[in-house]
Amino acid sequence: MKKTGIINSEISAVVANMGHMDWLSIGDAGMPVPFGTKKIDLALDKELPSFIDVLKNVLKEMKVQKIYLAEEIKDQNPEQLAAIKEILPDVEVAFVPHSQLKKDLAKTHAFIRTGEMTPYSNIILESGVTF
């Protein structure tokens, strides 16, 4: 049994199998997931688990060099944007229309669904390297 980090076996396996510049996505309970994209559903109830809690857990094991967020988060959920920037202060941020972010989920290794109930609480993490 693992001592630290991600204990969810599906998430741990996805992160372990990623290479440089691969994508992993985390999002709110309402985000539509394209057919063919692995969905790891953690949602238990409204706000359980939260988007931020899941993001923090994934970042224990995943090196991130760039993130992709919906342009709409700036106006529709600035509190969540501030929380993301606080957790990832030195990571490049690319803003894309929400419609594009939804399409880009098809390019991710997996989508982790949280119980988050705030708008535009979705992110694509681009993996970096640790050397």
Side-chain angles (χ1 to χ4, degrees), residues 53-125:
D53 286 342
V54 173
L55 177 60
K56 286 179 179 177
N57 184 256
V58 168
L59 293 175
K60 287 180 180 179
E61 293 191 13
M62 183 178 171
K63 173 72 173 174
V64 174
Q65 69 181 18
K66 185 176 183 178
I67 61 172
Y68 299 83
L69 300 169
E71 184 76 35
E72 293 87 345
I73 196 172
K74 293 176 185 176
D75 295 325
Q76 300 296 317
N77 200 347
E79 299 84 11
Q80 192 75 287
L81 176 57
I84 293 166
K85 286 183 173 183
E86 184 177 326
I87 295 167
L88 294 160
D90 300 320
V91 173
E92 180 184 351
V93 180
F95 292 98
V96 297
H98 185 62
S99 58
Q100 183 62 49
L101 193 74
K102 289 190 287 189
K103 290 177 186 174
D104 287 342
L105 293 183
K107 301 175 190 174
T108 67
H109 280 242
F111 174 81
I112 303 169
R113 180 178 181 248
T114 71
E116 187 66 44
M117 295 286 175
T118 61
Y120 304 104
S121 292
N122 303 289
I123 192 168
I124 294 175
L125 307 170

Side-chain angles (χ1 to χ4, degrees), residues 29 41-50 113-117:
D41 195 344
L42 301 181
L44 299 172
D45 203 342
K46 290 182 177 182
E47 303 301 331
L48 290 175
S50 74
R113 180 178 181 248
T114 71
E116 187 66 44
M117 295 286 175

